[in-house]
Amino acid sequence: MRPVVIGSGLAGLTAALDIAAERDCVLVTAGDLTDGTASKWAQGGIAAALSEEDSPAHHARDTWRAGAEYGDPTAIARITAAAPEVVASLAALGVVFDRRPSGAYDLALEGGHGHHRIAHAGDRTGEAITLAVARHVADHPRIEVHPHDKATRLHLRDGHICGVTIEGACGSVLLETDSVVLATGGLGALYPHTTNPLGAVGSGIALAARVGARIDDLHLVQFHPTALDVGADPAPLLTEALRGAGALLRSDGKRFVDELQPRDVVAAAVWDQLERGRQVHLDATQIPEVESRFPAVTALLASHGLSLHQPLPIRPAAHYAMGGVTVDESARSTVPGLYAVGEVGRTGLHGANRLASNSLLEAVVTGRAAGRSIRSGERSQGIDLPAADPAQMTAHGTAAMDRAEVRSILGKTCGVLRDRDGLSSAVARLAAAVDQDDAYVAWLLARSALAHPMSVGAHRRTDEPALQEATS
């Protein structure tokens, strides 16, 4: 039986290409190849220790610290160690990274990094990488692409993956398979303010959770501090690289935070200023040759009647899910035959707050890992971890709830700051509609946030016991 990859972002493309080195496979994508994928939208770049003064150990240390020392040190070391080779392999596939006259990579600096280590292709790195890999997938004789199809259900036989139902123009079709790779992206579009494609509603989480895969850390959602606040949905992203190049954050005209701290710290600081009724802007006017250095941002701003030569209104927006389907170093979930790669998986790399530009790296590393595992026959085994929470599988609620209401509930209760009363209300309201996948994933997220009373990284509980004791 042919393995099935669901999703055509960088992680899914990489998995399909790796599988196809030895086996035929199927790639299912909701649009055309690469449409609506977050990896294609990534502006900054891919993190790797490529300079003489840097090392994978330094990269690992920064990843650990940015993640609030909540990540998996083994996973962090493994993935950061692979980073230099990943960049080299992408260059070999045709990605044209920016270089200095010497031929060395032109490495950028971003928040949370102790060294310049961001390899980039202008400010459209995600697009450059994703399209380069997609060209190889589209031309590969062993990869059958099913465009405009959506995976709606996974099937088990004796606890093992045995098929996946896809729906599209030709109706509903069951693809028999013993290996499914989820590469469905994140869940940020479940929030009213997001930088994610609007299809990023946790569909892979829903598929996996409904067949009993273990899901962890859904409460850890990173909010990007500098989404352009112009009322667009999704909110346009002002890349981290702008702050790395010297852009400043100002509240009512005054600088109020170190812009190069990890995203959770900066997002919380911006949120605090907005809650105080102040106007917050990103000021890149002092960056030399700013428009030539950031042509994609320049074009984006022009479409909204703005430019990099003026302060830009910003707000935090849901950006990246650190939690997801729990996987091992081979991208295997707890369900035999089910893999998760990229943002839908939880590897332990990001801890409680993703370090900037680690997502494209993780997409490639996990996509390759799933491919190798499937080719080697490991698909017959799931990873040995405690069972999933039974409530996630037995949840049942038939009420209708439109997407706007789901987004409103999460935005009001599970945003940058959370508390018990708001989270309890969210759980109760969403429980009535958990037969819907979007409400189901939002319910799982709210339950996870409610179950974690202590703040860590991007999860900030205003009612945590230690904080209450300190202020009483």
Side-chain angles (χ1 to χ4, degrees), residues 182-421:
L182 296 175
T184 51
L187 48 75
L190 291 176
Y191 282 85
H193 299 286
T194 181
T195 63
N196 287 188
L198 295 182
V201 291
S203 59
I205 299 292
L207 287 168
R210 292 195 192 280
V211 294
R214 180 171 171 137
I215 310 293
D216 284 302
D217 290 342
L218 281 193
H219 60 294
L220 298 177
V221 178
Q222 182 178 79
F223 292 82
H224 199 290
T226 56
L228 186 65
D229 190 14
V230 289
D233 186 22
L237 176 66
L238 297 179
T239 174
E240 185 101 11
L242 282 166
R243 282 176 281 135
L248 302 178
L249 285 166
R250 302 187 187 279
S251 172
D252 285 352
K254 297 180 180 179
R255 189 180 179 197
F256 62 96
V257 67
D258 177 356
E259 292 82 3
L260 294 182
Q261 293 184 92
R263 285 176 178 169
D264 61 324
V265 177
V266 181
V270 172
W271 184 265
D272 177 67
Q273 295 300 308
L274 293 174
E275 289 289 283
R276 295 170 185 264
R278 297 169 183 165
Q279 294 184 331
V280 181
H281 292 83
L282 181 69
D283 183 358
T285 59
Q286 301 304 309
I287 300 176
E289 301 177 346
V290 63
E291 291 189 332
S292 62
R293 292 175 66 180
F294 297 95
V297 175
T298 297
L300 181 155
L301 291 172
S303 70
H304 293 282
L306 300 170
S307 85
L308 283 164
H309 296 299
Q310 65 188 103
L312 303 167
I314 56 96
R315 63 168 298 132
H319 185 61
Y320 196 87
M322 278 78 72
V325 181
T326 301
V327 295
D328 68 359
E329 67 276 6
S330 296
R332 297 179 301 172
S333 76
T334 55
V335 174
L338 180 64
Y339 297 77
V341 298
E343 190 173 355
V344 70
R346 178 200 171 275
T347 61
L349 172 66
H350 306 302
N353 176 57
R354 177 173 69 85
L355 180 64
S357 290
N358 267 351
S359 57
L360 294 176
L361 169 63
E362 184 186 46
V364 174
V365 172
T366 56
R368 286 178 174 180
R372 285 195 301 268
S373 178
I374 289 170
R375 289 189 284 110
S376 70
E378 290 181 358
R379 64 188 180 281
S380 62
Q381 303 174 5
I383 56 175
D384 185 17
L385 284 175
D389 177 1
Q392 79 179 30
M393 295 181 64
T394 58
H396 185 63
T398 60
M401 183 178 290
D402 63 34
R403 179 72 53 78
E405 185 175 359
V406 173
R407 298 179 86 188
S408 175
I409 291 170
L410 280 193
K412 291 176 180 177
T413 63
C414 298
V416 176
L417 303 178
R418 299 99 178 261
D419 62 40
R420 182 180 58 196
D421 290 345

Side-chain angles (χ1 to χ4, degrees), residues 441-460:
V441 175
W443 175 76
L444 291 171
L445 192 162
R447 288 179 73 243
S448 181
L450 183 61
H452 290 81
M454 304 301 292
S455 297
V456 59
H459 176 59
R460 293 175 178 258

Side-chain angles (χ1 to χ4, degrees), residues 41-288:
W41 289 14
Q43 297 172 336
I46 182 168
L50 295 167
S51 65
E52 291 184 0
E53 66 272 13
D54 200 4
S55 70
H58 289 152
H59 186 181
R61 177 200 62 200
D62 291 344
T63 298
W64 168 252
R65 290 177 176 173
E69 301 183 354
Y70 190 77
D72 178 345
T74 301
I76 292 170
R78 173 174 50 83
I79 295 173
T80 54
E85 189 279 328
V86 166
V87 173
S89 68
L90 291 171
L93 286 175
V95 180
V96 181
F97 289 104
D98 294 340
R99 295 179 183 264
R100 297 186 180 279
S102 64
Y105 290 104
D106 180 26
L107 302 174
L109 177 68
E110 293 184 353
H113 291 274
H115 295 275
H116 286 71
R117 66 165 66 97
I118 314 304
H120 54 91
D123 58 351
R124 296 179 182 268
T125 309
E127 181 178 11
I129 293 174
T130 304
L131 293 181
V133 179
R135 284 192 289 271
H136 290 270
V137 168
D139 294 338
H140 205 293
R142 286 182 172 168
I143 302 174
E144 179 181 309
V145 178
H146 285 228
H148 303 282
D149 282 338
K150 179 180 179 181
T152 57
R153 183 184 175 191
L154 299 175
H155 300 269
L156 302 180
R157 182 182 298 120
D158 298 327
H160 291 237
I161 289 291
C162 67
V164 54
T165 296
I166 62 172
E167 296 183 359
C170 296
S172 181
V173 177
L174 172 63
L175 298 179
E176 294 186 357
T177 181
D178 55 8
S179 301
V180 170
V181 181
L182 296 175
T184 51
L187 48 75
L190 291 176
Y191 282 85
H193 299 286
T194 181
T195 63
N196 287 188
L198 295 182
V201 291
S203 59
I205 299 292
L207 287 168
R210 292 195 192 280
V211 294
R214 180 171 171 137
I215 310 293
D216 284 302
D217 290 342
L218 281 193
H219 60 294
L220 298 177
V221 178
Q222 182 178 79
F223 292 82
H224 199 290
T226 56
L228 186 65
D229 190 14
V230 289
D233 186 22
L237 176 66
L238 297 179
T239 174
E240 185 101 11
L242 282 166
R243 282 176 281 135
L248 302 178
L249 285 166
R250 302 187 187 279
S251 172
D252 285 352
K254 297 180 180 179
R255 189 180 179 197
F256 62 96
V257 67
D258 177 356
E259 292 82 3
L260 294 182
Q261 293 184 92
R263 285 176 178 169
D264 61 324
V265 177
V266 181
V270 172
W271 184 265
D272 177 67
Q273 295 300 308
L274 293 174
E275 289 289 283
R276 295 170 185 264
R278 297 169 183 165
Q279 294 184 331
V280 181
H281 292 83
L282 181 69
D283 183 358
T285 59
Q286 301 304 309
I287 300 176

